[in-house]
Every structure is written in C-alpha cells, then in structure tokens.
Amino acid sequence: MIGDQGIKMISNVLRENTTLQVIKLDNSNPTSLAPIIDFLDAVTESKAIIDADFPENDIYNLLSLSPAQSKHSDIEQIAQKRLLAQLAVTENRSTAGVYSNLTLLNDDTLN
C-alpha cells in the first residue's frame, strides 16, 4: 500500500505526464480524503489519461470513518471531483479516437 505519499507522487506524475494513458489506483490506504481529491484533480488536468479506475475502496473506507457531520459534504465533494475526472477522461478518449474498450483488430471474422 502506497499511502498518502504514494498517491501524491502519482498525482504529480499525472500532471507532468504526456504518454501514460491508463491509471488504476485503489487500495492505497490513504489516511484522509485529501490525497484522493488531489488524484482526482490530477486526472481531471491530464490530457493523456484515457482510462482511469477510481479508488472506490479507498473512498468507501475513508467515508466509513468520516464523522457524521461532515460525511454528506465529503460525499458531495468526492462525487463532484469524480464527475469532473470522468468528463476529462471521456474528452481525452474522444480526442485520442478511442470510442470503446473493445478491440476488433484481431477478430478473424472481420479480417
């Protein structure tokens, strides 16, 4: 588990990245939502990422520990950041000409 520091390093790499297109990040054991929010912001800023799995287990684990008075606002903030990241990934996919995760290049019936 890479923890807060590892997530921060990955977020920094995504901000500088021009070639990495796929990122899978979960079960990293962050201690707060801050590194997750930073990661989602980095995915949103990236012009290269065309496929991103979001840290659902990490978010769930953190929200389950969240105090009741802040849980609703935490959920809203994460939902908004995730939506922005998904929109950015969708735009990047379109720009890259990727409209599906399915590849038909090696399909014998089409060749």
Side-chain angles (χ1 to χ4, degrees):
M1 292 185 238
I2 61 174
D4 294 345
Q5 199 61 23
I7 297 170
K8 182 175 177 67
M9 292 170 77
I10 289 171
S11 298
N12 290 338
V13 167
L14 289 179
R15 286 186 172 93
E16 311 255 337
N17 165 59
T18 58
T19 56
L20 180 69
Q21 294 183 315
V22 177
I23 184 76
K24 312 283 185 190
L25 180 77
D26 204 359
N27 299 311
S28 302
N29 201 28
T31 60
S32 72
L33 288 173
I36 299 295
I37 290 168
D38 187 46
F39 169 75
L40 293 173
D41 286 342
V43 170
T44 301
E45 294 166 23
S46 171
K47 299 296 181 202
I49 297 296
I50 60 170
D51 187 11
D53 277 354
F54 298 100
E56 293 174 9
N57 290 331
D58 288 333
I59 292 168
Y60 176 82
N61 291 335
L62 289 168
L63 289 174
S64 69
L65 301 173
S66 203
Q69 63 269 23
S70 68
K71 191 172 290 203
H72 182 72
S73 63
D74 289 345
I75 290 170
E76 283 186 14
Q77 183 180 24
I78 290 292
Q80 181 66 24
K81 296 291 185 174
R82 182 176 175 169
L83 176 63
L84 292 172
Q86 287 174 316
L87 290 171
V89 168
T90 300
E91 184 176 326
N92 294 346
R93 289 172 61 92
S94 178
T95 300
V98 177
Y99 301 103
S100 172
N101 286 336
L102 299 174
T103 179
L104 301 176
L105 293 176
N106 296 321
D107 187 324
D108 291 336
T109 60
L110 298 176
N111 294 325

